[in-house]
Amino acid sequence: MSKRIRSTLYAGAAVSALLTAAGCSATAPVDEAAAKTSVTLENCGTDTSFDLPIRSVIATSNSANVGTIIKVGGLDKLSAVTLNTANDAVMDSMFGPGIADIPHLEGTPTMETVLGKNADLVVGSYSGLFKGASGVTPESLKDNGVGAYVISDSCRQNAADDTVLGTMGPWDALRADIENYGKLFETEDKAKSARTELDQRLERLESAPAAAARPKVLIYDSGEEDLYTSGGNGAPNGIIDAAGATNVFADVDNTWFKASWETVAKAEPDVIVIMDYKKSADEVQGKIDAIKAREGLRDLDAVKQNRFVVLPLAMFTSGFPNIYGAEQLRAQIEAFGLAPASGIDWAAAPSA
């Protein structure tokens, strides 16, 4: 039954109840579900109220977050996403077809775009959309009658600083988004199922035999003069940890940040994960060639033995695809001989 039909039935029931009350002293019971018009959630430590139902959502800043929305049953609510179309196939492989039919925006959306899509809700991060460079902030959205949800991974540690992010563990941030989206999209059963599946798959990873010494992993996102990588608060740290390894920058209190190449060389990673943005055919090879050409890095065992793992960025920003990234990274670590063979087919996800 559609929401419009349900709303009509609820309205009819309310009128009937009023007529009955006028003719007798008995008071008809109130249907609380029918009266529900908003939901209040804790988002980045603040209780925020959102009008329901939500019919039009713009998801920005974070490609993996689109996967979370699809996983909890929100595909039909997406009116636009900032997702590189080359990642559509990645999403299809994890969540089935459908994302290609959603309009893909280029660059950071403006308020004009938001209003043009008749958005009820905009999802973004403090590291991306909500910096306000395009005039879109939680405050400006509220002024225009549009809800704003901040991806939990990007919550600010200080309300006045958009550079130091991360207030909870990576997997807890994902769990928070799963639960909140279930409430926002009124798909709580699907959200519960998604949470169960996530926990089952994490448990399977944690039960895999551990290496005597956990291999050290470097995330190479981008950068030439410096390396853009991920610290202890980012989704990659949770992915690496679940895969049975250690992030070389786990002690950095941030999500994503820039590190000097000298620091990278001193960290002596055993494995280098190359983030594939899928922007060009030579992107990945260009990153590998840059590492092999750089003094201080080309002599690392990881480089000499070609222990490079190439995975799409859409699996490593905060979102449900993270669990796929952890499983694929574990499979590669085993293939390199840096962790005991588990005998597990990491491509087969347990059913929730």
Side-chain angles (χ1 to χ4, degrees):
M1 185 182 296
S2 73
K3 290 182 179 176
R4 183 170 296 174
I5 292 173
R6 286 201 301 268
S7 296
T8 301
L9 291 177
Y10 291 151
V15 170
S16 177
L18 285 172
L19 291 174
T20 300
C24 64
S25 59
T27 302
V30 176
D31 185 344
E32 293 183 0
K36 181 180 178 183
T37 58
S38 67
V39 63
T40 299
L41 307 173
E42 181 180 331
N43 184 209
C44 290
T46 300
D47 287 340
T48 305
S49 181
F50 298 86
D51 292 335
L52 298 177
I54 290 173
R55 297 187 177 93
S56 175
V57 179
I58 296 179
T60 78
S61 304
N62 181 336
S63 50
N65 183 67
V66 172
T68 311
I69 291 174
I70 298 173
K71 187 68 178 179
V72 302
L75 178 64
D76 64 341
K77 299 181 185 299
L78 288 172
S79 56
V81 293
T82 54
L83 177 70
N84 180 351
T85 55
N87 280 299
D88 287 354
V90 178
M91 291 295 169
D92 288 352
S93 70
M94 293 182 283
F95 308 111
I99 193 62
D101 297 328
I102 307 300
H104 290 48
L105 303 176
E106 293 186 9
T108 303
T110 63
M111 187 63 71
E112 181 180 9
T113 301
V114 171
L115 298 179
K117 292 292 183 181
N118 293 315
D120 302 306
L121 177 69
V122 174
V123 176
S125 68
Y126 278 125
S127 57
L129 175 68
F130 293 143
K131 281 186 175 181
S134 66
V136 178
T137 65
E139 295 76 20
S140 65
L141 287 169
K142 183 178 179 180
D143 290 342
N144 283 277
V146 181
Y149 181 86
V150 181
I151 301 166
S152 296
D153 164 78
S154 83
C155 295
R156 298 174 295 186
Q157 294 184 19
N158 183 326
D161 189 351
D162 288 340
T163 63
V164 183
L165 306 175
T167 60
M168 61 188 86
W171 296 112
D172 286 337
L174 174 53
R175 291 185 182 101
D177 288 343
I178 290 172
E179 180 178 351
N180 286 340
Y181 291 155
K183 293 176 180 177
L184 287 169
F185 305 148
E186 300 176 87
T187 56
E188 292 184 71
D189 286 346
K190 289 186 178 180
K192 182 178 180 181
S193 178
R195 166 69 185 268
T196 298
E197 180 184 331
L198 174 67
D199 289 342
Q200 285 180 344
R201 293 169 72 172
L202 280 171
E203 184 178 355
R204 186 176 70 158
L205 281 161
E206 291 167 0
S207 67
R214 291 167 70 95
K216 296 180 292 183
V217 175
L218 169 71
I219 296 292
Y220 182 4
D221 178 280
S222 57
E224 295 181 4
E225 294 184 5
D226 294 303
L227 173 71
Y228 194 57
T229 186
S230 187
N233 302 342
N237 195 73
I239 291 169
I240 294 167
D241 183 65
T246 298
N247 177 8
V248 296
F249 291 117
D251 60 344
V252 176
D253 185 21
N254 210 337
T255 51
W256 297 86
F257 72 103
K258 290 183 178 180
S260 69
W261 288 109
E262 291 76 15
T263 303
V264 172
K266 290 179 181 178
E268 297 185 333
D270 300 302
V271 176
I272 300 173
V273 177
I274 305 291
M275 296 286 89
D276 184 2
Y277 277 68
K278 298 188 175 295
K279 288 186 175 179
S280 66
D282 59 355
E283 172 196 344
V284 170
Q285 192 57 52
K287 290 179 179 179
I288 293 174
D289 290 345
I291 289 175
K292 289 184 174 181
R294 189 170 290 276
E295 186 176 357
L297 296 182
R298 57 179 172 233
D299 294 328
L300 294 174
D301 285 345
V303 177
K304 288 181 177 179
Q305 299 184 38
N306 283 309
R307 291 201 291 260
F308 296 103
V309 177
V310 179
L311 290 170
L313 178 68
M315 285 186 182
F316 274 70
T317 53
S318 182
F320 202 88
N322 296 164
I323 191 64
Y324 291 87
E327 290 165 344
Q328 293 196 23
L329 179 56
R330 171 70 196 207
Q332 289 296 313
I333 289 173
E334 288 185 23
F336 291 145
L338 297 176
S342 62
I344 297 173
D345 178 7
W346 295 110
S351 177

Short mmCIF file of all heavy atoms in Angstrom, two decimals, residues 44 62 125 127 150-156 165-170 173-174 177 233-236 255-256 317-319:
data_model
loop_
_atom_site.label_atom_id
_atom_site.label_comp_id
_atom_site.label_asym_id
_atom_site.label_seq_id
_atom_site.Cartn_x
_atom_site.Cartn_y
_atom_site.Cartn_z
N CYS A 44 25.67 13.32 15.30
CA CYS A 44 26.89 14.03 15.71
C CYS A 44 26.70 14.70 17.07
O CYS A 44 27.09 15.86 17.28
CB CYS A 44 27.31 15.04 14.66
SG CYS A 44 27.93 14.28 13.14
N ASN A 62 30.24 11.28 -0.11
CA ASN A 62 30.77 10.00 0.33
C ASN A 62 30.14 8.87 -0.48
O ASN A 62 28.98 8.55 -0.30
CB ASN A 62 30.46 9.85 1.83
CG ASN A 62 30.99 8.56 2.41
OD1 ASN A 62 31.18 7.58 1.72
ND2 ASN A 62 31.18 8.56 3.71
N SER A 125 28.89 15.32 4.44
CA SER A 125 29.91 15.25 5.47
C SER A 125 30.48 16.63 5.74
O SER A 125 30.41 17.53 4.91
CB SER A 125 31.04 14.31 5.05
OG SER A 125 31.76 14.88 3.96
N SER A 127 33.58 17.10 5.98
CA SER A 127 34.80 17.17 5.18
C SER A 127 34.50 17.47 3.72
O SER A 127 35.40 17.76 2.94
CB SER A 127 35.58 15.85 5.27
OG SER A 127 34.76 14.76 4.86
N VAL A 150 24.29 14.57 8.81
CA VAL A 150 25.74 14.50 8.71
C VAL A 150 26.19 13.05 8.86
O VAL A 150 25.84 12.38 9.84
CB VAL A 150 26.41 15.37 9.80
CG1 VAL A 150 27.92 15.31 9.66
CG2 VAL A 150 25.92 16.81 9.71
N ILE A 151 26.93 12.55 7.89
CA ILE A 151 27.46 11.19 7.96
C ILE A 151 28.26 11.05 9.25
O ILE A 151 29.13 11.86 9.56
CB ILE A 151 28.35 10.90 6.74
CG1 ILE A 151 27.54 11.07 5.45
CG2 ILE A 151 28.94 9.51 6.82
CD1 ILE A 151 28.39 11.14 4.20
N SER A 152 27.94 10.01 10.03
CA SER A 152 28.50 9.88 11.39
C SER A 152 30.01 9.80 11.42
O SER A 152 30.65 10.24 12.38
CB SER A 152 27.89 8.66 12.09
OG SER A 152 26.50 8.83 12.26
N ASP A 153 30.61 9.27 10.39
CA ASP A 153 32.06 9.18 10.30
C ASP A 153 32.72 10.55 10.30
O ASP A 153 33.87 10.70 10.70
CB ASP A 153 32.41 8.42 9.00
CG ASP A 153 33.84 8.57 8.57
OD1 ASP A 153 34.72 7.90 9.14
OD2 ASP A 153 34.09 9.37 7.63
N SER A 154 31.97 11.59 9.86
CA SER A 154 32.59 12.90 9.69
C SER A 154 32.22 13.89 10.79
O SER A 154 32.44 15.10 10.62
CB SER A 154 32.18 13.49 8.33
OG SER A 154 30.92 14.11 8.39
N CYS A 155 31.69 13.41 11.89
CA CYS A 155 31.34 14.33 12.97
C CYS A 155 32.58 15.08 13.46
O CYS A 155 33.66 14.50 13.62
CB CYS A 155 30.71 13.56 14.13
SG CYS A 155 29.13 12.78 13.74
N ARG A 156 32.41 16.37 13.73
CA ARG A 156 33.53 17.20 14.16
C ARG A 156 33.82 16.98 15.65
O ARG A 156 32.91 16.88 16.47
CB ARG A 156 33.22 18.67 13.93
CG ARG A 156 33.00 19.04 12.48
CD ARG A 156 32.56 20.48 12.31
NE ARG A 156 31.24 20.71 12.90
CZ ARG A 156 30.57 21.84 12.79
NH1 ARG A 156 31.08 22.85 12.11
NH2 ARG A 156 29.38 21.99 13.35
N LEU A 165 38.19 15.38 12.49
CA LEU A 165 36.92 14.68 12.46
C LEU A 165 37.02 13.29 13.08
O LEU A 165 38.10 12.73 13.21
CB LEU A 165 36.45 14.55 11.01
CG LEU A 165 36.36 15.84 10.20
CD1 LEU A 165 36.00 15.55 8.75
CD2 LEU A 165 35.38 16.80 10.82
N GLY A 166 35.88 12.77 13.46
CA GLY A 166 35.81 11.42 14.01
C GLY A 166 35.58 11.43 15.51
O GLY A 166 36.46 11.80 16.27
N THR A 167 34.37 11.04 15.93
CA THR A 167 34.03 11.03 17.35
C THR A 167 33.66 9.64 17.85
O THR A 167 33.32 9.48 19.01
CB THR A 167 32.85 11.98 17.63
OG1 THR A 167 31.71 11.55 16.87
CG2 THR A 167 33.21 13.41 17.25
N MET A 168 33.70 8.65 16.97
CA MET A 168 33.37 7.28 17.35
C MET A 168 34.14 6.33 16.45
O MET A 168 34.69 6.74 15.42
CB MET A 168 31.87 7.03 17.23
CG MET A 168 31.30 7.20 15.84
SD MET A 168 29.48 7.13 15.78
CE MET A 168 29.09 8.86 16.12
N GLY A 169 34.22 5.06 16.84
CA GLY A 169 34.91 4.08 16.03
C GLY A 169 34.28 3.94 14.66
O GLY A 169 33.08 4.18 14.49
N PRO A 170 35.05 3.55 13.65
CA PRO A 170 34.53 3.46 12.28
C PRO A 170 33.30 2.56 12.13
O PRO A 170 32.34 2.93 11.46
CB PRO A 170 35.71 2.90 11.48
CG PRO A 170 36.92 3.30 12.27
CD PRO A 170 36.50 3.23 13.70
N ALA A 173 30.31 4.16 13.76
CA ALA A 173 29.77 5.23 12.92
C ALA A 173 28.85 4.65 11.85
O ALA A 173 27.77 5.19 11.58
CB ALA A 173 30.91 6.01 12.27
N LEU A 174 29.26 3.54 11.26
CA LEU A 174 28.42 2.89 10.25
C LEU A 174 27.13 2.35 10.88
O LEU A 174 26.04 2.51 10.32
CB LEU A 174 29.20 1.75 9.58
CG LEU A 174 28.41 0.88 8.60
CD1 LEU A 174 27.72 1.72 7.54
CD2 LEU A 174 29.33 -0.16 7.95
N ASP A 177 24.68 5.17 11.32
CA ASP A 177 24.03 5.57 10.08
C ASP A 177 22.97 4.55 9.66
O ASP A 177 21.88 4.93 9.20
CB ASP A 177 25.05 5.75 8.97
CG ASP A 177 25.90 7.00 9.15
OD1 ASP A 177 25.49 7.89 9.93
OD2 ASP A 177 26.98 7.09 8.53
N ASN A 233 40.68 7.34 12.95
CA ASN A 233 39.24 7.56 13.05
C ASN A 233 38.48 7.24 11.78
O ASN A 233 37.25 7.27 11.76
CB ASN A 233 38.95 9.01 13.44
CG ASN A 233 39.61 9.41 14.74
OD1 ASN A 233 40.00 8.57 15.53
ND2 ASN A 233 39.74 10.70 14.97
N GLY A 234 39.20 6.98 10.70
CA GLY A 234 38.55 6.80 9.41
C GLY A 234 38.08 5.37 9.17
O GLY A 234 38.54 4.42 9.82
N ALA A 235 37.19 5.23 8.21
CA ALA A 235 36.70 3.90 7.84
C ALA A 235 37.83 2.94 7.47
O ALA A 235 37.77 1.76 7.84
CB ALA A 235 35.70 4.03 6.69
N PRO A 236 38.88 3.38 6.75
CA PRO A 236 39.96 2.45 6.42
C PRO A 236 40.61 1.81 7.64
O PRO A 236 41.05 0.65 7.57
CB PRO A 236 40.97 3.33 5.66
CG PRO A 236 40.11 4.36 5.02
CD PRO A 236 39.06 4.67 6.04
N THR A 255 40.27 11.41 10.60
CA THR A 255 39.76 10.47 9.62
C THR A 255 40.71 10.42 8.42
O THR A 255 41.41 9.44 8.20
CB THR A 255 38.34 10.88 9.17
OG1 THR A 255 38.35 12.25 8.78
CG2 THR A 255 37.34 10.67 10.28
N TRP A 256 40.75 11.49 7.64
CA TRP A 256 41.65 11.59 6.49
C TRP A 256 42.57 12.79 6.71
O TRP A 256 42.16 13.81 7.24
CB TRP A 256 40.85 11.77 5.20
CG TRP A 256 39.96 10.58 4.89
CD1 TRP A 256 38.70 10.38 5.37
CD2 TRP A 256 40.28 9.47 4.07
NE1 TRP A 256 38.21 9.19 4.88
CE2 TRP A 256 39.16 8.60 4.08
CE3 TRP A 256 41.40 9.11 3.32
CZ2 TRP A 256 39.11 7.41 3.37
CZ3 TRP A 256 41.37 7.91 2.60
CH2 TRP A 256 40.24 7.08 2.63
N THR A 317 35.43 4.81 1.83
CA THR A 317 34.82 5.89 2.60
C THR A 317 33.71 5.26 3.44
O THR A 317 33.27 4.14 3.16
CB THR A 317 34.26 6.98 1.67
OG1 THR A 317 33.38 6.38 0.70
CG2 THR A 317 35.39 7.70 0.94
N SER A 318 33.26 5.91 4.47
CA SER A 318 32.37 5.27 5.45
C SER A 318 31.03 4.85 4.83
O SER A 318 30.30 5.66 4.26
CB SER A 318 32.10 6.23 6.61
OG SER A 318 31.28 5.61 7.58
N GLY A 319 30.71 3.56 4.96
CA GLY A 319 29.46 3.04 4.45
C GLY A 319 29.45 1.52 4.46
O GLY A 319 30.46 0.87 4.77
#
